[in-house]
Amino acid sequence: MNVGTHLKFEVLRTFRNRGFLIVTLALPLVLYCAVTPGNKSKHAMVENMPFELYFMTGMAAYGALFAVFSPTTRIALDRQRGWGRQTRVTPLRAGTYLSAKVATAFLVALPCLALLYIAGTAFGVRMSASQWLEMTGLLLLGLIPFIIMGITVGHLAKAESMPAVIGGLVVVFALFGGAFGEFFNSGATLKVIKLLPSYWLCQSGKVAKGSGGWAAEGWIVVAVWTAVMIAVAIPAYRRDTRRA
Amino acid sequence: MSIHDEAPPGVRLVGLTKSYGPVKAVRGIDLTIGAGQTVALLGPNGAGKSTTIDAMLGLSRPDAGTVEIFGRGAADAIRAGLVGAMLQSGQQPEYLRVREVVELTASYYPNPRPVQEVLELTGVAEFADRWATRLSGGQSQLVRFAAALVGDPDLLVLDEPTAAVDVAGRNDFWRVMREVAQQGKTIVFATHYLEEADAFADRIVLLARGRIVADGPATEIKALAGTRTIRATLPGVETERLATLEGVASVQRHGDTVILSCTDADTALRALLSGYAAARDLEVRGGSLEEAFLELTDDSEDGVSATPEAVIQTETAGVNS
């Protein structure tokens, strides 16, 4: 059993789907470049951050969130085409399969982040190397529950409902998490919002203003969501052997 | 394999039962396939072939019964790389070239055959650089066959391998299969073509309505399945007497109706008409496999006649030694 070959083809298949990849990478970048110039001159600071940084972190969270759902449609199509069942009658291990999906999701998210960082820098974002790294590290950690959510959804929903399901999940989590701006920043609503892993994903960028990364609550929320998603994903994968 | 080694059979199914909602897809299948045998699971649509194969491969959990492959559980045998399978109507994955599909599958197995060798053996090499999704039905089938072979498994399971393949494609497929069978693999394939089962298998297991209705060497099953029946309204004649007519194998009576299962229906019909002028409402049925199945299973279902006549269990059917 050669794990490298499986991962290589998994990544190759994702990156050969050019149309999908281009839209995934371009969307947050285009939104960022379209919104930033005008607003940068209107609002110098938002939430104590320069606009170009504030919106860059928001679009990074949104874009990466969208990117990590890239294996989802692939999984659903593979199931529909009978390829999922076909791999089940080979010695391919569940662990190899799932970790290759996770790795692929990260590999789509990384260039998405890189493009936004480049655009941000062009619009005047300046941070220390450790701040860039800390932000990126927290973004990647915050994506984990969503990657597993995406794999689970791929094994549960039909391919034709994927645009609606993925679009819905990404928009809801991005909006309530604060990727497009913090609409709920006080009181009881905020308490609920803080239970969303996407809130902490969006907060990853806030380290840039020196807030010291996630509060303990953030680590717990992300860990619990990850655990719950794994608990749902494994039986969803195991049981998914029926004829399409 | 030494004579003294009690090698486990390639496949052993015991009391396999599976329902999908109210539909009893498989109703108690016991089947032992010796290592190295080539066995056809023959039956019409809905006979339970795919359900049996799915359970054999651990793709569905049977309601009751056990599956063993070379003495291990299905999942275990699959993980050990002992199984190669071609499932029904699987399509090729997107964004992979033909060669890559085979390479990828090879990478899952502990001791795969060289990819190029398998591509050439199956005739896939000619179009190995094309996208796997841009193939004709026959080509796609050959690719799936190559993928089933490339892991060099001891057991090959093929669910209707030639469905949706044209005649030329079928011939190519069986030519390769013959070469593979000679390498001592255990092969189980499902088909609803009697000719394929007859031409290729050592042994045919005839399935209908979720049960094994006949099991034996290909020639015997072929004779059985090729049987035609004559129905006639003929009161007051003993079935034993009718059974002695030339061309008649067995006779059943349902009220005034007699049903003659024939080895030679033409001869039997002539003999019936010349011997029994009272015979009327004559009907010659059969020829098709489908009808032979229905005939066999209708009787066993309704309990109208004793099932033992309908179920032929030949001595050679068990594990080969």
Side-chain angles (χ1 to χ4, degrees):
Chain A
M1 165 98 226
N2 187 335
V3 177
T5 310
H6 178 73
L7 181 61
K8 179 183 92 179
F9 283 122
E10 192 72 34
V11 173
L12 210 54
R13 292 183 72 197
T14 305
F15 283 77
R16 278 175 179 171
N17 188 354
R18 295 258 166 75
F20 175 85
L21 199 68
I22 289 168
V23 173
T24 306
L25 298 183
L27 184 63
L29 185 67
V30 168
L31 291 178
Y32 180 68
C33 294
V35 170
T36 305
N39 284 278
K40 191 184 162 192
S41 47
K42 251 187 277 174
H43 326 272
M45 300 291 270
V46 185
E47 308 272 333
N48 301 323
M49 289 165 81
F51 183 87
E52 62 273 20
L53 172 60
Y54 178 81
F55 200 59
M56 185 190 82
T57 62
M59 285 300 100
Y62 166 68
L65 193 54
F66 191 43
V68 297
F69 277 87
S70 58
T72 309
T73 309
R74 175 90 290 121
I75 292 170
L77 282 170
D78 280 351
R79 289 166 56 218
Q80 190 166 305
R81 302 178 70 83
W83 180 249
R85 269 163 59 86
Q86 186 64 48
T87 56
R88 298 306 172 92
V89 294
T90 70
L92 173 64
R93 304 272 175 138
T96 307
Y97 169 86
L98 295 171
S99 49
K101 293 288 179 208
V102 173
T104 309
F106 277 131
L107 282 175
V108 182
L110 281 170
C112 176
L113 295 180
L115 289 172
L116 281 163
Y117 291 176
I118 293 166
T121 309
F123 283 115
V125 172
R126 295 291 176 271
M127 287 194 291
S128 70
S130 66
Q131 285 173 321
W132 282 109
L133 278 176
E134 191 178 355
M135 174 173 71
T136 308
L138 290 176
L139 276 167
L140 296 182
L141 283 173
L143 289 172
I144 293 173
F146 292 104
I147 294 176
I148 303 164
M149 184 187 295
I151 295 170
T152 312
V153 168
H155 283 285
L156 294 177
K158 286 184 179 172
E160 61 258 33
S161 45
M162 280 309 162
V165 174
I166 296 174
L169 284 171
V170 170
V171 165
V172 166
F173 276 106
L175 180 76
F176 288 99
F180 306 119
E182 286 167 29
F183 304 119
F184 312 96
N185 45 14
S186 65
T189 329
L190 181 63
K191 282 211 174 82
V192 177
I193 293 291
K194 280 185 167 180
L195 298 175
L196 298 177
S198 54
Y199 173 82
W200 300 98
L201 183 71
C202 295
Q203 288 294 307
S204 303
K206 303 297 189 289
V207 296
K209 66 173 184 182
S211 68
W214 294 341
E217 193 187 353
W219 292 95
I220 293 166
V221 167
V222 171
V224 168
W225 273 78
T226 303
V228 170
M229 286 298 132
I230 289 173
V232 178
I234 289 173
Y237 171 76
R238 290 247 165 87
R239 290 203 338 235
D240 186 19
T241 56
R242 272 156 297 181
R243 276 171 255 168
Chain B
M1 210 185 302
S2 140
I3 296 166
H4 303 290
D5 278 347
E6 197 65 45
V11 177
R12 192 204 300 274
L13 307 179
V14 179
L16 205 65
T17 306
K18 176 77 183 175
S19 297
Y20 293 105
V23 181
K24 289 178 181 160
V26 164
R27 322 163 174 236
I29 285 192
D30 296 291
L31 180 64
T32 303
I33 296 172
Q37 271 194 339
T38 299
V39 173
L41 297 180
L42 178 66
N45 291 331
K49 303 188 296 290
S50 290
T51 305
T52 304
I53 284 181
D54 279 4
M56 197 187 285
L57 295 171
L59 289 171
S60 77
R61 187 191 293 268
D63 300 335
T66 55
V67 175
E68 265 178 41
I69 295 174
F70 296 112
R72 310 170 176 222
D76 217 27
I78 287 169
R79 227 175 291 134
L82 299 176
V83 182
M86 208 173 147
L87 303 172
Q88 207 179 340
S89 69
Q91 289 169 290
Q92 299 298 337
E94 291 150 307
Y95 301 108
L96 284 180
R97 295 187 188 278
V98 167
R99 181 189 310 279
E100 294 171 340
V101 172
V102 182
E103 239 175 84
L104 178 59
T105 310
S107 79
Y108 299 151
Y109 284 83
N111 301 301
R113 297 174 67 165
V115 169
Q116 188 60 29
E117 179 191 302
V118 172
L119 293 178
E120 279 162 20
L121 174 73
T122 52
V124 167
E126 285 170 42
F127 50 90
D129 294 322
R130 286 171 56 184
W131 290 114
T133 45
R134 304 255 172 90
L135 302 175
S136 72
Q139 288 172 327
S140 178
Q141 206 79 331
L142 284 177
V143 174
R144 302 199 304 117
F145 184 41
L149 288 178
V150 77
D152 201 20
D154 295 330
L155 171 68
L156 267 177
V157 181
L158 312 143
D159 193 357
E160 301 201 12
T162 59
V165 180
D166 62 21
V167 176
R170 261 179 222 175
N171 292 339
D172 284 350
F173 177 82
W174 291 114
R175 180 183 48 73
V176 180
M177 273 293 272
R178 254 190 205 105
E179 288 181 46
V180 174
Q182 282 161 7
Q183 295 160 3
K185 305 284 183 196
T186 308
I187 300 175
V188 181
F189 68 98
T191 180
H192 50 240
Y193 300 112
L194 175 62
E195 312 80 64
E196 281 189 356
D198 177 41
F200 191 71
D202 306 329
R203 170 181 166 201
I204 297 178
V205 174
L206 194 58
L207 287 177
R209 300 192 182 181
R211 285 205 180 94
I212 295 176
V213 293
D215 182 348
T219 45
E220 287 183 24
I221 303 300
K222 192 189 177 191
L224 172 77
T227 298
R228 290 202 287 172
T229 57
I230 299 171
R231 283 168 181 268
T233 304
L234 183 58
V237 178
E238 286 171 24
T239 54
E240 288 78 8
R241 284 181 59 202
L242 292 172
T244 62
L245 288 173
E246 202 181 337
V248 174
S250 67
V251 182
Q252 291 165 22
R253 173 176 286 287
H254 300 173
D256 285 346
T257 307
V258 289
I259 300 167
L260 318 181
S261 299
C262 305
T263 50
D264 180 350
D266 299 332
T267 307
L269 186 60
R270 280 189 202 101
L272 180 69
L273 288 173
S274 60
Y276 302 91
R280 56 193 166 81
D281 303 330
L282 287 158
E283 196 183 327
V284 181
R285 296 177 59 187
S288 88
L289 193 56
E290 186 93 13
E291 290 187 27
F293 291 138
L294 292 177
E295 200 71 28
L296 284 166
T297 45
D298 274 345
D299 291 345
S300 54
E301 280 304 289
D302 308 338
V304 172
S305 76
T307 35
E309 286 102 345
V311 179
I312 293 187
Q313 185 81 39
T314 64
E315 284 156 29
T316 46
V319 193
N320 74 355
S321 43

